[in-house]
Amino acid sequence: AAIFGYMNFSWTAKVDIAGKYLCRLFEHMNATGDTVATPRNDDARRTNESIMSALRSGYVKRGADDLPRQGDHGPWRVSHNYRLDRRMLLKDPVADGILEFRR
């Protein structure tokens, strides 16, 4: 997993809740016996915008082609909103209909 923090708030705040989400995901998979979780993006359009496009640093601009892209709406769009992310990553169900699980 690759985790990116916030650009407009403490980087570690996002990394912390994203890490907790990964633990929830792994616990769910362990409980169900699944070994693979694949996100499915059936209705969101991918944009050509990197998840770090709000940063104007030279190293971000130079590496922009190699950074992950985001979609046009959640959960495929990076919100940079701690309250929203906290609910989604720590409270919403892991089996959310977006992840496809299999053995």
Side-chain angles (χ1 to χ4, degrees):
I3 299 176
F4 293 84
Y6 292 115
M7 293 178 283
N8 60 345
F9 189 57
S10 168
W11 184 271
T12 56
K14 175 68 174 273
V15 172
D16 181 53
I17 60 175
K20 288 177 182 176
Y21 172 79
L22 285 174
C23 290
R24 290 180 62 218
L25 172 64
F26 297 148
E27 289 169 3
H28 172 83
M29 292 173 70
N30 189 45
T32 60
D34 293 315
T35 57
V36 177
T38 306
R40 296 295 178 201
N41 182 359
D42 294 331
D43 63 31
R45 290 182 307 264
R46 192 189 105 186
T47 68
N48 197 29
E49 187 179 354
S50 94
I51 63 171
M52 298 183 74
S53 62
L55 292 178
R56 301 292 175 226
S57 305
Y59 68 93
V60 172
K61 287 182 178 183
R62 286 188 298 276
D65 290 341
D66 297 320
L67 290 170
R69 299 291 180 243
Q70 58 185 332
D72 61 350
H73 65 277
W76 307 103
R77 181 123 192 115
V78 178
S79 73
H80 299 291
N81 182 317
Y82 180 74
R83 287 185 179 156
L84 178 67
D85 290 340
R86 186 173 168 80
R87 187 192 80 236
M88 179 178 65
L89 296 172
L90 301 181
K91 303 293 182 194
D92 287 356
V94 172
D96 58 3
I98 293 169
L99 287 176
E100 178 184 283
F101 295 98
R102 66 181 191 279
R103 290 182 169 82

